[in-house]
Amino acid sequence: FFFIFTPFIAKYRYMYSARQVLLNKDDSNEALIQSRNMAFSGSLVHSGDGEVVVCHIGMNTEIGHIVTLTKEADTVMTPMRRELQRFITIISAIAICLGTIFFIISVATGKGAMTSLVFAIGIIVANVPEGLLPTVTMALTMASKRMSKNNALVKNLESVETLGSTTVICTDKTGTLTQNRISVHRIVTPNKVFAFGSGDAVPGSEIKHLRRIMALNNNATLNSSGGYSGDSTEAALLTCVRDMEDIEDLSGFTRISEKPFSSATKYMITVCSKADGSFEAYLKGAPEIVLSKCDKMRISGETVEMGDEGREWFRTTLTSMAGRGERCLGLAYRAVDVADEIEEEEYIFKGIVGMLDPPRPEVPEALLKVKGAGVRVFMLTGDFGLTAR
C-alpha cells in the first residue's frame, strides 16, 4: 500500500528507511519517492496516530514499480557465455562446411545420395564437442568448491568465471574495509585538545557544552549489555559522554523540536528546554556546514567573534585531523527564545570531534593480492576527502 498522511499527524514521527523523519503536509514533491508526507508499504509508525488515504495498491505502488523493473530486467551475458556461444558458432560452421564438402565429394565419386548423406551427418556429429558442457560444469563446480573453503558462497556457477574477468572493484568503507567499531579519538577546541583512549580521564566539567551537544543532539541509545541501537556515529558520541568523569545530570533537559540529519543538509539541530525554563539549540554535522552557520566561537570560557583568524584555525585543524584518517563532526550551540522555531544561523562554534574506525587487519594483504592481479580498487564513502585518503 502507498499512504498519504493528513495534516493531523504531520507533527508525529514515523520510521522510514530505519531513520526517524518529521512529516509535514507541505513537504510534497512531484517525484513521489522524494515526498516526505508520503509513506510506502512497510513503513513503521514510531509514535502517534492519525488518518491515512490509500493512493495505490498492488503493482501500482512504488514498491510494485520496483518489482516490475526487476521482472523486466534483461539477462546479462557473462563473459563465459559469450565465449561459449562464439566457440559453438565456429565449431558448428566448421562441422557443417566439412559435412557439405564430404557429401559433395562422396556423390562425385559415385556413392549413392543416401550413403553420402549419412556419411556427411556422421562428419558433422563427430565434430560437435559433446563433452563440452559437462567439462565446463565440472570446472566451475570445482572452482566453487574451492571458493566455499574461503567463505565465498557462489549462487550462479557462471559468476565464478566472471570474477576472473573483473578489472575494477568498488567497495564500501565502513564495515567492509573497517571494523565498524567507531569511537571518539579526540575533541579539539580553539584552545585545548582532549584525547580519548589514552587512559587519561577527561573531566566532563571541562567540556560541559560539548558533552551536552553530543548527548542531546543524538538519537542513539545504549543498552546495559554494551550494545546500541541507532546510528553508529551517534552511538560513539554517546559512549564518549558516558565514559567521561563528572558528568552533570541531563535529566533536566527536554527535547522540544528537531531537524533530522539528512545527506542533503549534512547537519542536525535539536532544541531543548533547560531546568531554568530557557531554551538552547544544538547543532551537529559536517564541520564545514557547521562553520557556515556560526558567527562566534567559544575560547577559554569567553564568546568571541569568529573572524578570519578563527576560520583559518578551523581550516588548519580540520585538514590536520582529516589527514590522520579521522571522521570529523563540528559542534555548535546557541540560545533561542522560541522553542518551536529552529534557528539555523548565528551559532557559537564549540569544537571538532575526531572519530576513528580501525581498519580490518586483513585488508592490506587483500588489497596487495587484488592489485597484483591487475584489478583496480575504488573506495566509495561519504567521508571528507582527506579522511578517505
Side-chain angles (χ1 to χ4, degrees), residues 100-146:
T100 302
I101 292 173
F102 277 99
F103 175 77
I104 295 174
I105 294 175
S106 180
V107 172
T109 56
K111 303 291 184 181
M114 184 57 66
T115 303
S116 300
L117 180 61
V118 172
F119 179 68
I121 292 175
I123 292 293
I124 294 174
V125 172
N127 282 278
V128 174
E130 298 176 356
L132 178 62
L133 181 59
T135 301
V136 172
T137 303
M138 183 178 295
L140 294 178
T141 302
M142 294 176 64
S144 301
K145 187 176 181 180
R146 287 197 299 270

Side-chain angles (χ1 to χ4, degrees), residues 170-236:
C170 297
T171 177
D172 182 30
K173 180 180 76 71
T174 304
T176 304
L177 298 179
T178 64
Q179 300 178 28
N180 198 22
R181 294 170 55 189
I182 189 169
S183 60
V184 175
H185 180 242
R186 58 177 172 164
I187 299 177
V188 181
T189 64
N191 62 303
K192 196 168 184 179
V193 177
F194 300 93
F196 297 85
S198 60
D200 298 330
V202 178
S205 58
E206 292 192 20
I207 50 176
K208 178 177 63 176
H209 268 109
L210 283 169
R211 181 199 47 74
R212 189 180 297 173
I213 299 170
M214 293 163 62
L216 300 177
N217 190 307
N218 200 312
N219 286 328
T221 56
L222 303 177
N223 54 47
S224 57
S225 61
Y228 67 90
S229 61
D231 182 74
S232 59
T233 300
E234 292 189 334

Side-chain angles (χ1 to χ4, degrees), residues 73-124:
D74 296 332
T75 303
V76 179
M77 292 287 291
T78 63
M80 170 165 282
R81 185 175 297 182
R82 287 197 298 267
E83 288 297 323
L84 286 177
Q85 286 190 352
R86 177 173 173 273
F87 176 75
I88 291 173
T89 300
I90 294 174
I91 292 297
S92 299
I94 293 174
I96 292 174
C97 289
L98 287 176
T100 302
I101 292 173
F102 277 99
F103 175 77
I104 295 174
I105 294 175
S106 180
V107 172
T109 56
K111 303 291 184 181
M114 184 57 66
T115 303
S116 300
L117 180 61
V118 172
F119 179 68
I121 292 175
I123 292 293
I124 294 174

Side-chain angles (χ1 to χ4, degrees), residues 41-66:
S41 173
S43 299
L44 302 178
V45 178
H46 182 262
S47 62
D49 52 37
E51 298 176 356
V52 299
V53 177
V54 179
C55 300
H56 299 287
I57 62 174
M59 299 301 289
N60 292 324
T61 64
E62 293 298 307
I63 299 297
H65 294 164
I66 296 175

Side-chain angles (χ1 to χ4, degrees), residues 177-179 357-364:
L177 298 179
T178 64
Q179 300 178 28
D357 189 2
R360 294 182 181 274
E362 64 271 18
V363 167

